[in-house]
Amino acid sequence: MPKKTDKKTSGNPTKKQKTQGKMIKGYLSVHAKGFGFVLVKKGTDIFIPLEHMLNAMDGDYVSAEILKKIPKKNPEGRIVKILKLQEKEIIGVFKRSKEGGLVIPSDERYNNPIIIPKDSLSSPKIGRMPKNGEFVVIKRTGWKEDDHTVTGTIIDILGKPENKEMDLLMVARNNNLTIPFPTQVNKELSKLPEFDLQTELKKREDYRLIPCFTIDPESAKDFDDAISLTQLENGRFELGVHIADVSYYVKEGSAIDKEAYERGTSVYFVNNVIPMLPERLSNDLCSLKPHTDRLAFSVIMEIDSRGIVQTYRIKETIIRSAERFTYEEVEAIIKGKKHTHAKTIHLMQMLSLILRRAREEMGSIDFDISEAAISLDEQGVPYAIRPRERIESNRLIEEFMLVANRTDASHIAKQATNKNQKPFDYRVHEKPDKQSIQSFLALLERLGLKYQLDKEVESDDYRKILDIVENLDEKYFIEKVALRSMTKAYYSTKNKGHFGLAFDAYTHFTSPIRRYPDLVVHRLLKYYASKENDKKGIAKSETATLSTKLESICTHCSEREIRATQAEREFIKIKSMEFLSSKVGETYDGIISGIASFGMFVELSHYVIEGLVHVTELKGDHYDFDKEEFTLTGRKTGKVYRMGDAVTIKIKSVSKEEKRADFLLV
C-alpha cells in the first residue's frame, strides 16, 4: 500500500511555496531609514530589511532570495550577492585605521563604512594623504564575499567640515554639478564684443524712451527681465515684457552653448549660485542693468480690462531700464510710498490683479504653501529661518511673466498645423492620473467633503476644492495631499497644455540667463519669424530633424531641472539641520505633515522645518498605520494622529550629516 502523504508537503507546491527561496536579480533602491527594495523588471519589487542588506548600497545590481510573501505587501527577501557596484561617486568623512582608513558616507542611503586599503591612500591625482576628519570623494572598487565588506579608493579631497563652502561643494559633488567653467568657455568669453548700437538699431525696435524697470530680489546680480506699462487712449493696457537677448551672444554649437546645455539651469543655494552662464554674460553683457542700453527680446501685448490679450507683437528690441527695483521697494510703493514711478507701479498692480482674476475664472490653481527662507552669515552659518512671504510685488511679476510665456506659446501653437508644423519647446503639465484623483476624492469624502466630478477632472475642480477648505482646520493637510496628487511639469515638443495654470499652451521664455529651454525658445521664435519674413517654407525633412533634436533637448532639460531641484532641497535641508542643532531640548508648535508606518513627520510652524517623531516614541500604546486614511491609531487608547493635526514637540536630536531631526511629542 502506498504511504499516506502529509497534506502540507504532498501534491503540487502552493504559489507561496514556489515564491519562497526564489532567486531574483535587480537594482537596489535604498531608503534613508536603511531598508531597501530590489527593483525587478516584471513582477513585484522585493522588500529588503536593514538586517538583510549585506552592505549593498543604493544603485547596486544584486542577487536576492525571497524569504517570505506577506499578504497585501511586497515579498520580503535578503541580498545574497552584489553582482555589480554602483559607479556613482560617494562623499564621506575619512577616519584613519590600522589597515589604512574608513570613509563614513554622508548620504544616509549608504549605511556602512567603506574600507580604504593603506596602499591606495596616496595617489598622484589627489596629491596628498587625507587627514582625519576631512571630507573625501571615493569610488567603491570591490565587495568581499567572505565578510561582505566594501573597499574603495579616494579620488578627491574636499577639505575640513568647517570650510564655509563645504556644504555647497558636497551638494554639488553629490549631484554631479560642475562649478568652474571649462577653459574653452573662458576663451570664447574673452572674445565676445559689446554690441554695435547703430547696427542693431537698423533691425530692432528702439524702446529706450519707454520707461521700463527690473524688479528682483535684493541679492540679485543678473537681471533678465524688465517690464513697461502704459495705458492707451482706448483704455487698454500696453504691457511690455522685455527679456535679455541671450541668444545674440550665445551662438548655437559654441563652447558656451554646449556648456549651458550640459548644465541646463542655474542652481541656487540660498546665498550662492552655480550659474548656467558665466558671470561676464549673466551679470554683465546680458544683464538689463539700469541706465544702460541693452539688447532684449520683447513681447508687447495690448490687454483689455478683462485680462484678455487682444493683440501682441514679439520683437527684437533695444531697451534702457530706468530703475532697478527690489521686491520690497515696489511693495512699499504699492502701500503708498512716494516715488517718481509710483503712478506706473500702481497701474501695474491694477493690471496684475486683472490678470490674476482672469486666470482664476479659467480655473488656474494657485497653491500658497510656505517655503523656508534661510539667512546665512559671512561664514555660511544659518542665523535665521522663517516662512518665505509671498508679497504683492512678487505676484505682480509672476502675472506678467505668465502672460508673456503664454502669449509666446499660443503664438506658435495657433500657427502649427499638419501642413505647417512648427516644432516648439512647450512647458507641459498633464492631468493627474485617475487613481490619484480617486484617492484624493476618497480622502476628501472621509473628511466629510464629498466633491462630485462631472466627467474628467479639470483644474477648476482643484481651485474650487481649495476655496472650500480655505477656512477649515484641515486646509494644510488637504493642500499638501492635493499637490501630491498632481503630476510634475516637464518640457516637451508635444503641446498637451498646462493643467495647473489652465492654459491651452505654455512655454518658458522669460529666463534665458538661467534656463536653457528659454534660450531655445528665443532661437525658435527668431527662426520662425525669419522664415515668415523671407516667405520660405520649412521642408518636411528639416521639420522632422528639428523635432527630434528638440525632443532630446526637452528630455535633457527636464532631467537637469529635477537634478537642480534635488540639489537645492538637499542644501536647504543641511542648513536647516545646522540651524536646528542649536535648538535641541526646546519646545515648538508644529503640524503633522506626513504619516508613515515608522512614525509621523512634523513641520515646525515657526521655522518650516520638518522632523520625525518615531513610532517608538509614542509611549503607552501600539500604533497601527493606515495608508488610506493617513493615520496612526492606538490599539488600546484609540488615539488617532493624522496629517494636518496641530501638535507640540520637543527637539530630541539633530544630525546635519544625516540631514534629519528627531522630535518628541509633549
Side-chain angles (χ1 to χ4, degrees):
M1 291 181 64
K3 293 181 180 179
K4 292 182 179 180
T5 57
D6 192 323
K7 289 183 179 179
K8 293 183 180 179
T9 58
S10 66
N12 294 326
T14 64
K15 186 175 181 180
K16 183 176 180 181
Q17 288 170 332
K18 283 182 178 180
T19 303
Q20 290 176 359
K22 183 179 178 181
M23 301 297 294
I24 58 96
K25 295 178 183 179
Y27 286 96
L28 180 65
S29 175
V30 180
H31 191 274
K33 299 299 174 185
F35 61 82
F37 289 89
V38 176
L39 311 179
V40 295
K41 288 185 177 181
K42 294 182 180 180
T44 308
D45 297 335
I46 312 303
F47 171 68
I48 309 294
L50 176 61
E51 62 270 22
H52 292 320
M53 291 290 288
L54 205 67
N55 273 359
M57 295 186 176
D58 189 69
D60 288 347
Y61 189 64
V62 300
S63 174
E65 178 188 12
I66 297 176
L67 298 177
K68 57 182 176 180
K69 191 170 184 180
I70 305 171
K72 297 182 180 180
K73 290 187 178 181
N74 294 69
E76 186 176 309
R78 68 182 181 92
I79 305 296
V80 174
K81 189 175 183 179
I82 300 176
L83 302 173
K84 184 180 180 182
L85 296 170
Q86 161 68 283
E87 294 181 357
K88 183 181 176 182
E89 294 178 353
I90 297 172
I91 296 175
V93 178
F94 177 76
K95 302 288 184 183
R96 284 197 176 279
S97 68
K98 291 181 180 179
E99 295 77 20
L102 294 173
V103 171
I104 302 166
S106 59
D107 190 327
E108 60 265 39
R109 292 173 301 170
Y110 304 135
N111 296 290
N112 299 293
I114 295 158
I115 297 171
I116 309 298
K118 189 177 293 185
D119 59 4
S120 65
L121 279 179
S122 58
S123 166
K125 288 185 178 180
I126 59 176
R128 65 175 176 87
M129 297 273 285
K131 297 176 182 178
N132 208 43
E134 282 190 310
F135 279 108
V136 297
V137 183
I138 68 166
K139 278 195 174 182
R140 292 181 299 156
T141 54
W143 176 77
K144 295 182 180 179
E145 199 163 348
D146 53 353
D147 61 2
H148 307 149
T149 57
V150 178
T151 58
T153 183
I154 296 173
I155 59 174
D156 199 3
I157 300 172
L158 298 181
K160 287 286 188 181
E162 54 267 27
N163 179 346
K164 70 174 184 178
E165 299 293 335
M166 184 53 64
D167 292 333
L168 188 149
L169 290 172
M170 288 179 59
V171 171
R173 200 69 184 245
N174 268 339
N175 293 277
N176 198 28
L177 298 171
T178 304
I179 296 178
F181 283 90
T183 303
Q184 187 59 37
V185 168
N186 293 324
K187 285 182 180 178
E188 282 191 0
L189 277 175
S190 65
K191 297 176 182 178
L192 286 178
E194 293 274 359
F195 70 91
D196 182 75
L197 179 62
Q198 296 307 315
T199 300
E200 293 304 315
L201 281 173
K202 293 176 183 178
K203 51 187 177 182
R204 291 175 180 263
E205 189 169 327
D206 190 352
Y207 230 79
R208 291 176 296 168
L209 297 181
I210 306 296
C212 64
F213 344 105
T214 60
I215 306 176
D216 293 279
E218 175 69 44
S219 59
K221 295 179 181 178
D222 58 328
F223 314 126
D224 58 3
D225 59 85
I227 52 176
S228 62
L229 185 66
T230 55
Q231 194 155 23
L232 304 174
E233 291 184 3
N234 60 12
R236 293 175 180 172
F237 303 92
E238 183 176 270
L239 171 66
V241 176
H242 312 282
I243 308 301
D245 193 356
V246 177
S247 63
Y248 174 86
Y249 295 100
V250 182
K251 302 303 182 184
E252 190 172 1
S254 66
I256 298 172
D257 178 56
K258 290 176 181 176
E259 183 65 18
Y261 168 79
E262 181 57 35
R263 295 181 180 223
T265 178
S266 295
V267 189
Y268 294 87
F269 298 105
V270 183
N271 64 344
N272 217 324
V273 61
I274 299 178
M276 183 184 82
L277 294 174
E279 189 173 315
R280 184 167 183 241
L281 281 168
S282 60
N283 295 3
D284 185 14
L285 293 178
C286 294
S287 187
L288 306 180
K289 296 178 178 181
H291 317 299
T292 308
D293 292 349
R294 281 289 182 257
L295 303 182
F297 201 17
S298 303
V299 188
I300 301 150
M301 298 156 281
E302 190 173 312
I303 304 173
D304 66 21
S305 58
R306 297 171 297 162
I308 297 172
V309 177
Q310 293 293 342
T311 63
Y312 65 88
R313 61 188 191 275
I314 303 169
K315 294 289 183 181
E316 293 175 83
T317 58
I318 298 177
I319 67 164
R320 184 185 296 154
S321 173
E323 194 83 34
R324 179 269 199 262
F325 282 115
T326 67
Y327 284 118
E328 290 73 20
E329 288 170 340
V330 172
E331 190 71 14
I333 295 169
I334 289 173
K335 291 180 178 179
K337 184 178 179 179
K338 293 182 179 180
H339 193 280
T340 307
H341 299 298
K343 183 178 179 181
T344 304
I345 294 292
H346 287 293
L347 197 63
M348 287 178 172
Q349 171 68 358
M350 181 194 301
L351 178 58
S352 73
L353 291 172
I354 290 171
L355 289 169
R356 192 191 312 173
R357 190 178 304 114
R359 279 199 305 112
E360 289 172 351
E361 289 174 357
M362 292 170 58
S364 188
I365 308 166
D366 193 8
F367 288 104
D368 205 7
I369 296 173
S370 296
E371 295 180 349
I374 303 176
S375 299
L376 306 179
D377 64 19
E378 291 182 357
Q379 298 304 313
V381 177
Y383 63 86
I385 296 182
R386 65 192 184 281
R388 190 181 301 279
E389 186 180 5
R390 193 174 171 209
I391 54 182
E392 283 304 308
S393 55
N394 295 128
R395 294 177 182 272
L396 182 154
I397 290 297
E398 286 173 9
E399 292 301 332
F400 290 175
M401 298 305 114
L402 286 172
V403 71
N405 287 331
R406 184 188 180 196
T407 299
D408 285 325
S410 298
H411 172 71
I412 297 297
K414 288 175 182 177
Q415 294 178 12
T417 63
N418 289 333
K419 291 184 178 179
N420 182 30
Q421 293 183 25
K422 290 193 173 181
F424 199 61
D425 185 347
Y426 293 100
R427 182 66 171 176
V428 171
H429 186 225
E430 297 187 75
K431 288 185 178 183
D433 60 73
K434 289 184 179 180
Q435 185 175 350
S436 297
I437 290 296
Q438 289 169 358
S439 297
F440 178 48
L441 294 179
L443 175 65
L444 287 177
E445 189 168 349
R446 288 193 291 272
L447 293 173
L449 299 169
K450 190 170 183 177
Y451 188 88
Q452 188 69 41
L453 290 177
D454 291 336
K455 292 181 181 178
E456 288 190 6
V457 67
E458 300 295 340
S459 53
D460 191 48
D461 293 306
Y462 273 84
R463 189 192 59 78
K464 288 176 181 176
I465 290 169
L466 295 180
D467 286 345
I468 291 169
V469 304
E470 177 62 30
N471 297 311
L472 299 182
D473 292 338
E474 296 88 355
K475 176 192 172 185
Y476 176 90
F477 165 54
I478 292 172
E479 282 191 346
K480 284 270 189 180
V481 178
L483 188 58
R484 291 174 186 175
S485 72
M486 299 179 74
T487 60
K488 302 294 183 185
Y490 61 95
Y491 299 105
S492 176
T493 57
K494 298 176 179 64
N495 179 25
K496 300 179 182 179
H498 197 292
F499 176 80
L501 294 172
F503 290 168
D504 292 333
Y506 191 63
T507 191
H508 275 170
F509 166 83
T510 53
S511 296
I513 286 178
R514 64 183 180 89
R515 288 189 307 228
Y516 194 78
D518 302 53
L519 175 57
V520 172
V521 165
H522 281 219
R523 289 171 177 162
L524 288 169
L525 289 169
K526 289 182 180 183
Y527 173 70
Y528 290 135
S530 69
K531 289 292 183 181
E532 290 169 10
N533 290 338
D534 62 18
K535 297 180 181 180
K536 288 182 180 179
I538 305 173
K540 286 186 178 180
S541 58
E542 187 180 354
T543 299
T545 301
L546 178 58
S547 182
T548 301
K549 179 181 177 182
L550 270 180
E551 192 57 52
S552 177
I553 291 173
C554 288
T555 300
H556 172 82
C557 289
S558 296
E559 292 170 353
R560 288 296 186 258
E561 179 185 34
I562 292 170
R563 183 180 71 171
T565 300
Q566 290 173 340
E568 290 166 355
R569 287 176 179 171
E570 183 181 345
F571 188 82
I572 288 172
K573 187 77 170 179
I574 289 171
K575 290 302 177 184
S576 296
M577 294 303 104
E578 185 178 357
F579 174 80
L580 217 57
S581 61
S582 64
K583 313 292 183 185
V584 173
E586 295 184 13
T587 300
Y588 296 95
D589 292 330
I591 294 174
I592 297 176
S593 55
I595 297 282
S597 59
F598 51 82
M600 65 182 80
F601 292 95
V602 176
E603 185 178 281
L604 304 185
S605 304
H606 188 66
Y607 294 126
V608 201
I609 300 176
E610 199 173 64
L612 175 70
V613 178
H614 198 273
V615 71
T616 56
E617 300 294 349
L618 301 176
K619 308 297 184 183
D621 205 347
H622 182 87
Y623 285 80
D624 293 320
F625 170 58
D626 189 326
K627 66 179 181 180
E628 301 295 332
E629 300 279 353
F630 292 94
T631 59
L632 284 171
T633 305
R635 291 181 182 178
K636 293 187 293 186
T637 62
K639 172 67 177 175
V640 179
Y641 294 104
R642 58 169 49 88
M643 278 180 65
D645 285 352
V647 293
T648 303
I649 62 91
K650 178 187 286 188
I651 300 175
K652 178 186 176 185
S653 62
V654 178
S655 172
K656 176 183 172 181
E657 290 72 27
E658 295 181 7
K659 298 184 279 291
R660 62 175 287 175
D662 290 311
F663 297 162
L664 300 172
L665 288 182
V666 296

